[in-house]
Amino acid sequence: MILAANFKTNHTRKSTAAYLEALELFLDASPAGCDIRVYPPLSALLRADLYSHTKIGAQNFYPAIEGAYTGEVGAAQLNEFDIKNVLIGHSERRALLKETQEFIAQKFAFAATQGWEIIYCIGEPKDVRDSGFEAVAEYLWGEFDGIDISYDKLAVAYEPIWAIGTGVSAEVQDIAKVLDMLKDKLKDTPLLYGGSVNADNLSSIISLKSCDGALIGGAALDVANFCKLIQIAQK
Ligand code: PEP
């Protein structure tokens, strides 16, 4: 089971350090028995090797070791923090930062050459969802163009775009249908759900047979809330 907290553009270096300190204390006292990952903003990255229960990951990177990529962060910079896992394909980067499938595939291939763990995000917009399951399936498979689904450090997060940050999660039976379809093809790759996960819906979502965890934004911003979600997953 993977539980991942995506901070997006929230938290500072100071508040991230306090968050991780509290999270590690909580996990010391009650080990999660699952894979806990936290993705702070790049400016708040802390040395991943200093934390024993939590994996720290990068929300973004440029697919190069280093070079002339103004404003970007490459492998040399992430290595300095011992970062070994990354998010790729988040819908906010696809929509707001205009990351194309081609560029996303480039990032994926680069991350794989670095041996990083990847949470690869896919998800359909509302109009596609409204067109029915077949349309959703076609859209989601399109987001695997250029992606090596046999990469062994891959987890896939299904995040319907209309459910992200809206407080409206997808219906559990709809999540089940999509995750079952993905599992059929992706076999042993862990599958996460993301999109307005909270303490009320986490249990029913992670109980689904094809669900191996959750990628959580808003409900994980407060460390006490994230610990509560971990406690729910422990049950
Ligand atoms: C996300 O950031 O990937 C996400 C799912 O956010 P939220 O939980 O706030 O919907």
Side-chain angles (χ1 to χ4, degrees), residues 6 8 90 159 163-165 194-197 215-218:
N6 177 15
K8 310 190 187 194
H90 195 284
E159 303 201 295
I164 296 181
S196 297
V197 169
L215 177 56
I216 305 154

Side-chain angles (χ1 to χ4, degrees), residues 19-38:
Y19 184 109
L20 288 167
E21 196 182 325
L23 182 57
E24 288 278 304
L25 277 176
F26 169 79
L27 293 170
D28 260 341
S30 86
C34 55
D35 181 341
I36 304 295
R37 305 183 191 187
V38 171

Side-chain angles (χ1 to χ4, degrees), residues 61-136:
F61 61 94
Y62 192 84
I65 302 289
E66 59 189 349
Y69 310 104
T70 301
E72 294 294 310
V73 162
Q77 289 74 38
L78 294 187
N79 287 342
E80 194 175 21
F81 292 93
D82 211 36
I83 299 299
K84 297 188 189 321
N85 77 80
V86 292
L87 292 182
I88 299 178
H90 195 284
S91 62
E92 287 157 10
R93 295 205 61 84
R94 291 180 193 261
L96 302 173
L97 282 303
K98 309 287 179 234
E99 286 193 5
T100 62
Q101 186 60 34
E102 196 185 354
F103 182 61
I104 287 167
Q106 236 177 292
K107 290 176 77 173
F108 190 101
F110 179 80
T113 64
Q114 299 303 303
W116 292 339
E117 290 183 306
I118 298 170
I119 293 183
Y120 182 65
C121 305
I122 57 169
E124 82 285 357
K126 183 78 170 71
D127 60 320
V128 172
R129 160 63 56 176
D130 291 342
S131 303
F133 181 73
E134 292 307 318
V136 171

